[in-house]
Amino acid sequence: MGNVSIVVGAQWGDEGKGKWIDILADNADIVARYQGGNNAGHTLYIKGQKYVLHQIPSGVFHPGRVAAMAAGVVINPGELVAEINKLLPSVHVTPENLWISPRAHVITPWNIFLDHERENRASDPIGTTKRGIGPTYGEKANRAGLRMGQFINPDARQMWLREKLAQEPGFKSFYEQHPKVWSDFAEVAATLAPYVCDSETKIRQGARAGKNILLEGAQGTLLDLDHGNYPYVTSSSTTAAGACTSLGLPTKTITHVYGIAKAYVTKVGSGPLPTELHDETGALIARRGNEFGATTGRPRRCGWYDAVAMRYAQSINGFDHLLVNKMDILTGIPLLKIAVAYKHPRLGILKDFPWDNTVLKECQPVYEEFPGWTDEIPKQGFSKDLPPNARRFLAAMEEHTGCRILMVGTGPGREEFIKLG
Ligand code: IMP
């Protein structure tokens, strides 16, 4: 049996998973994305060039590796073709190095329309990316979805369409009013057809034959449909267990789970963020950290490292190690904080992340404070090369999260990290 590792976002998404997946992909034969759709954005800097991937797994940059999109992913076909074409000429995406699951569900123009409608009409919008993600997963759960396997087969696609026209209120008039949108949608099916294969079976066979598999998560634990702060979540299972469900892999095949976190937190969209900073320090972190969404360009809300949320993420995912990004952004801030508990006006001190958003909204963080550092963090090196206060801050993150940090990212490039472990 080969190694099967999972990379999971430990916070509210945008932790910088792409960079680590790109590094870890060096030792992988197959890199498979397990959930989400083009709501995600993985930014990678390779040889000084910036790439933003929304759907294709980062493994595609490694010659000889396979990138796969598994059953739990949702796919916008037109956007996927555009992404494949955008990678040319530097990266050639072929049916040999990109496998698309026939079980993955398709984001249709109708799903995108519904996402806009719901957000625009909601009294308390979720702040979705409006990419049709929620309605696509909803349709899947309702057993009315269009899967990639059907999408690429004209007869099966027609059958789905006939059923939809007959069953779904409002669909017929939307369909009739947008003939070009629907013909464009269907047109790319033939282009994607060669990529569609039984990727889950092939990956299971690969794992049994000793291949190393890396499972790539999108978004983060606090955005998980079941365990995140619902309803301000995405509609998929972002956690490590979600990877097994998506791939159809036995849980016991998993050899390593990496949690990716920033040295602070960010969130896009609505919902409580207990350690959010509304002051100049928050604005400074946002500016320095370039905290704007890779997909929507929306500014991200910034706050202190939240060890309550991180302990929760650790307990759900069972991280073997953390990989921490953006320590360098904190350089020069004189006083740093870590939330070690929450204080609620009625419930007192809470050490565990509450399930109830109304409670979470009323929580105030209980902070431990740490002196900052002014010396630049080196781009590469080992723990001993870090300013002593940076080492103390990392040690406190480890202690309050209950997990060892293996590496610390010091910049966006592949080679920019410090080894702690
Ligand atoms: P949806 O996934 O577009 O339905 O959006 C649901 C929630 O998840 C919103 O708060 C989004 O801002 C958030 N979200 C979705 N994708 C990402 C991501 O890649 N990074 C951070 N937040 C995300």
Side-chain angles (χ1 to χ4, degrees), residues 211-294:
K211 301 245 186 251
N212 291 332
I213 321 267
L214 182 65
L215 306 180
E216 164 176 345
Q219 291 87 41
T221 301
L222 277 306
L223 291 174
D224 181 83
L225 181 60
D226 291 292
H227 304 287
N229 41 331
Y230 189 93
Y232 306 104
V233 293
T234 191
S235 298
S236 58
S237 296
T238 60
T239 53
C244 293
T245 306
S246 170
L247 270 294
L249 272 173
T251 48
K252 63 185 173 199
T253 51
I254 305 305
T255 43
H256 211 94
V257 182
Y258 296 96
I260 316 298
K262 282 195 273 216
Y264 48 92
V265 298
T266 62
K267 179 172 175 37
V268 278
S270 324
L273 184 67
T275 62
E276 184 167 7
L277 285 162
H278 298 282
D279 57 7
E280 186 37 44
T281 306
L284 179 81
I285 293 174
R287 227 175 18 251
R288 273 204 202 150
N290 193 24
E291 296 296 354
F292 296 91

Side-chain angles (χ1 to χ4, degrees), residues 12-46:
W12 280 269
D14 305 317
E15 298 91 350
K17 294 175 285 296
K19 171 192 166 122
W20 296 108
I21 292 160
D22 180 46
I23 292 169
L24 295 167
D26 253 349
N27 293 320
D29 299 294
I30 301 170
V31 182
R33 169 92 179 263
Y34 63 83
Q35 44 70 234
N38 60 331
N39 48 349
H42 286 173
T43 308
L44 295 154
Y45 291 81
I46 296 169

